[in-house]
Amino acid sequence: MARVERFFERLVERPAARVFGTHVQPVQVLRRIEREMEAGRRHRGRRELAPDRYAVRLSPDDVGGLGPLDPIAEELASGALAFARAHGLALAQRPAVRIAADPALGPGDVEVIATFSQGWSGAALATPEPPKVSSGTRVFQAPIVAAPVAALEIAEPGRGTRTLPLEGRPTTIGRATDCDVVLADAHASRHHIRLEVRREVVVLTDLGSTNGTWVNGNRVREVVLGVGDRIEVGQSVLRVVSPGQPAAA
């Protein structure tokens, strides 16, 4: 099915790129990454694991048309992370995308190679037993809510940065004084979001806020959070960090 889709894409997109002089757009690359993620997923016990490393190859002209590659690669990685969460796919690490020019490709061609990060070999994926965890094994394990599972770095407009440990109990964040975390932000709603631990993961829920809640640039109503996620509440920026990680400058 994936080969058939790629055939029709090349049949339509490549001639259009040549005739109209258009460049490949990031959304086209993201759709290809999403398909490779689905095609490369592997069953492990009750979970489905998806690749988390993506090498994207484009023609030199299409690479030049994208502009600065680092922001585009980060945007594509965030899109891949959102796709994995929306489809219940597990990841060994946060997705990473690398874009490179390939002179062998023509305008409109997109080639994506999906692989698993270090710690997930093909042999390990074929084994039904859970992997053994040692100091050198880079495998994500769901945390036990007996200690802080993560921390929240909070930066409000005109104020310094503070860090709040997320210890498992529901945490309400907003402008109202009865919130667990009170924001000095006029653009935040009185009760803006709630963070809680469900099945050993941190879940963010928007509480019907006026200006909405944004995670990694996407407006959300409810989403599972991971370390490194950036949350925008009004004009405040919240970032999920590992417990004990020093606040960013």
Side-chain angles (χ1 to χ4, degrees):
M1 207 49 203
R3 288 195 295 270
V4 171
E5 289 179 349
R6 284 195 293 269
F7 169 78
F8 281 108
E9 283 178 350
R10 289 175 179 173
L11 192 66
V12 175
E13 293 176 356
R14 187 170 181 178
R18 287 178 172 176
V19 171
F20 298 107
T22 57
H23 294 292
V24 168
Q25 299 300 309
V27 66
Q28 295 173 261
V29 180
L30 179 59
R31 294 296 171 263
R32 194 66 55 83
I33 289 174
E34 291 172 352
R35 282 198 294 276
E36 293 300 326
M37 178 180 287
E38 286 197 310
R41 61 188 178 181
R42 299 289 184 269
H43 289 280
R44 184 169 182 80
R46 297 181 180 180
R47 297 191 301 167
E48 282 192 315
L49 301 175
D52 53 18
R53 294 295 179 266
Y54 298 90
V56 177
R57 296 188 301 157
L58 306 170
S59 71
D61 286 344
D62 284 332
V63 169
L66 287 177
L69 295 184
D70 288 345
I72 297 295
E74 180 59 29
E75 179 183 343
L76 293 172
S78 295
L81 178 62
F83 182 84
R85 289 174 175 172
H87 290 77
L89 300 175
L91 297 166
Q93 294 185 16
R94 181 180 175 85
V97 177
R98 180 171 54 85
I99 304 173
D102 187 342
L105 299 179
D109 283 344
V110 181
E111 296 291 343
V112 177
I113 299 175
T115 57
F116 291 85
S117 60
Q118 181 180 354
W120 292 104
S121 64
L125 290 171
T127 306
E129 293 80 16
K132 295 180 179 180
V133 180
S134 66
S135 60
T137 304
R138 299 176 64 187
V139 179
F140 175 79
Q141 295 292 314
I144 299 173
V145 188
V149 296
L152 199 63
E153 188 180 279
I154 305 170
E156 301 163 79
R159 292 195 172 192
T161 301
R162 51 179 167 147
T163 302
L164 170 76
L166 299 176
E167 298 175 334
R169 63 179 182 275
T171 303
T172 304
I173 301 176
R175 248 185 330 106
T177 56
D178 61 343
C179 289
D180 299 297
V181 177
V182 180
L183 297 177
D185 186 342
H187 292 80
S189 294
R190 289 178 52 79
H191 301 90
H192 202 109
I193 60 173
R194 180 178 64 247
L195 301 179
E196 57 185 323
V197 175
R198 299 182 193 168
R199 298 183 180 179
E200 302 177 342
V201 296
V202 180
V203 179
L204 178 150
T205 303
D206 183 273
L207 301 176
S209 63
T210 302
N211 295 322
T213 302
W214 304 77
V215 175
N216 299 327
N218 300 302
R219 186 165 184 171
V220 299
R221 297 184 64 182
E222 186 169 90
V223 68
V224 175
L225 296 175
V227 172
D229 283 344
R230 174 189 169 94
I231 308 161
E232 296 177 62
V233 173
Q235 293 185 342
S236 301
V237 176
L238 293 68
R239 190 167 68 93
V240 182
V241 299
S242 298
Q245 178 176 335

